[in-house]
Amino acid sequence: MTDMTGTRCGFVALIGEPNAGKSTLLNRMVGAKVSIVTHKVQTTRARIRGVALEGPAQIVFVDTPGLFRPRRRLDRAMVAAAWGGAADADVVVLLVEAHRGLTAGVAAILDTLRERLAPGRPVALAINKIDRVKSKALLALSAEMNAAYPFAETFMISAEKGHGVDDLRRWLATRMPAGPWLYPEDQIADLPMRMIAAEMTREKLTLRLHQELPYQLTVETEAWEEKKDGSAVIHQVVYVARDGHKGIVLGRRGETIKAVSQAARAEIEDFLGRPVHLFLQVKVRPGWLEEAERYSEMGLDFSDGNG
Ligand SMILES: Nc1nc2c(ncn2[C@@H]2O[C@H](COP(=O)(O)OP(=O)(O)OP(=O)(O)O)[C@@H](O)[C@H]2O)c(=O)[nH]1
Ligand SMILES: [Mg+2]
């Protein structure tokens, strides 16, 4: 048992524009893939907690959906979830892409931070993807960002390669309030396994499908059965909004869904460390983007999508 005197524990919200690298950073901090990552925008849909330890501190990282101007119900619910994560955090880390700099989207986030965040709540700047730019550009961007907002600290990182991530974690640890740890020492995520497994399948679908289609689908774990031999039998449903989408998800002779199923199964097996039998079913459900139950399955608040 760890000596629990002098422990610290708190929440760190990772916010930023879609594709900034928030989920990549969360996984890097936790040391395991608990949040899905793709090269496409709007991958993360809900708040995902990952737990990291740094000396006497337990840091609960909260990955959030990207912040952008929401148009549709799902957009609005995602953006509301992200701001909710920021409001509840002890420290906010704003991720900005080094090669894109202070975009209109980043400026809009800074405006909202000024309006919404409790005074005195520290916000750290993490300039991410530094592997993509020259160091001279980084200094200019850091100066520009710090002129625009009073950041508590600035870090230059590559979430993907790991540069600067340890420094950031150490600094965050010192900012955590004193208090007992919220999670057992060996816990790395706070998301039901059924949902993690559904997210892994959604990642494989997102990577394989083009354009708007990934936005128009959602994956739910319907049944999970533990077998005596230690394996798990998992049934998932892929909900699509249109008949035509079903054919695309299945692919010619079911090739697409088969490949997705194999890739997802491998990843779920890897995460669980035991054999998995994964069964995917595609269902057409035209109104799913307006169904409260689909939102709660994703971990979102349906009413946040109103207005
Ligand atoms: N070159 C480079 N690419 C990175 C880095 N960090 C993340 N990426 C890539 O950026 C893309 C987006 O990463 P995500 O972690 O999914 O971004 P996100 O901010 O969670 O995106 P949303 O969930 O859509 O808001 C992926 O293709 C990552 O591999 C980095 O440090 N360097
Ligand atoms: Mg993400």
Side-chain angles (χ1 to χ4, degrees):
M1 205 50 212
T2 316
D3 177 14
M4 282 296 166
T5 54
T7 56
R8 296 172 171 276
C9 187
F11 289 86
V12 172
L14 307 174
I15 67 165
E17 284 191 282
N19 227 35
K22 303 174 292 296
S23 301
T24 306
L25 181 60
L26 174 87
N27 295 337
R28 173 69 66 178
M29 288 295 188
V30 170
K33 185 161 155 190
V34 294
S35 191
I36 64 172
V37 169
T38 80
H39 58 287
K40 296 187 181 164
V41 297
Q42 298 176 34
T43 297
T44 305
R45 285 187 176 161
R47 285 189 292 250
I48 293 176
R49 285 180 183 182
V51 188
L53 300 176
E54 178 65 44
Q58 184 170 63
I59 311 172
V60 184
F61 285 94
V62 185
D63 185 16
T64 67
L67 292 162
F68 57 99
R69 196 192 299 264
R71 291 196 186 86
R72 302 170 279 198
R73 177 183 281 275
L74 178 57
D75 295 344
R76 289 192 293 270
M78 283 163 51
V79 168
W83 282 116
D88 294 342
D90 296 293
V91 181
V92 173
V93 176
L94 171 65
L95 274 85
V96 169
E97 287 172 280
H99 59 289
R100 293 185 68 228
L102 209 176
T103 59
V106 169
I109 293 172
L110 296 180
D111 285 341
T112 311
L113 281 173
R114 277 185 213 101
E115 279 165 31
R116 289 227 200 164
L117 217 57
R121 183 76 49 86
V123 181
L125 173 65
I127 300 179
N128 188 31
K129 310 194 184 182
I130 58 166
D131 52 291
R132 295 191 57 166
V133 297
K134 299 236 160 66
S135 49
K136 227 163 120 190
L138 287 174
L139 294 179
L141 176 57
S142 169
E144 188 188 10
M145 290 292 301
N146 278 279
Y149 192 89
F151 291 105
E153 193 72 69
T154 299
F155 296 87
M156 315 274 190
I157 67 167
S158 170
E160 194 165 82
K161 310 248 184 287
H163 305 307
V165 170
D166 291 342
D167 280 348
L168 174 57
R169 187 174 39 232
R170 277 193 288 270
W171 181 81
L172 289 168
T174 67
R175 307 302 297 246
M176 295 295 96
W181 290 358
L182 279 171
Y183 296 97
E185 225 171 318
D186 55 358
Q187 188 167 341
I188 55 164
D190 181 10
L191 196 65
M193 204 44 235
R194 302 166 67 96
M195 209 186 275
I196 293 181
E199 284 286 276
M200 285 171 174
T201 302
R202 192 166 64 82
E203 180 191 81
K204 302 311 171 204
L205 284 162
T206 303
L207 290 172
R208 210 162 267 270
L209 300 171
H210 299 292
Q211 289 151 352
E212 271 276 275
L213 197 49
Y215 185 89
Q216 306 265 3
L217 61 79
T218 189
V219 182
E220 291 178 15
T221 300
E222 261 202 345
W224 184 302
E225 197 191 337
E226 298 291 349
K227 289 284 180 196
K228 280 209 183 77
D229 63 6
S231 66
V233 178
I234 304 170
H235 290 265
Q236 293 179 337
V237 179
V238 181
Y239 288 106
V240 293
R242 282 192 241 151
D243 232 1
H245 291 169
K246 183 172 179 175
I248 301 172
V249 169
L250 292 174
R252 218 160 56 92
R253 288 198 217 97
E255 276 161 12
T256 304
I257 196 77
K258 195 171 161 202
V260 163
S261 175
Q262 277 169 359
R265 191 204 60 205
E267 193 154 306
I268 300 167
E269 278 186 343
D270 202 47
F271 193 92
L272 291 176
R274 54 202 171 87
V276 164
H277 309 278
L278 178 62
F279 297 93
L280 298 182
Q281 192 189 353
V282 185
K283 281 190 191 167
V284 182
R285 202 155 169 125
W288 82 258
L289 277 151
E290 297 296 328
E291 280 174 5
E293 199 192 334
R294 303 281 80 75
Y295 283 67
S296 59
E297 283 289 329
M298 280 184 254
L300 287 173
D301 193 333
F302 184 70
S303 59
D304 282 341
N306 293 330

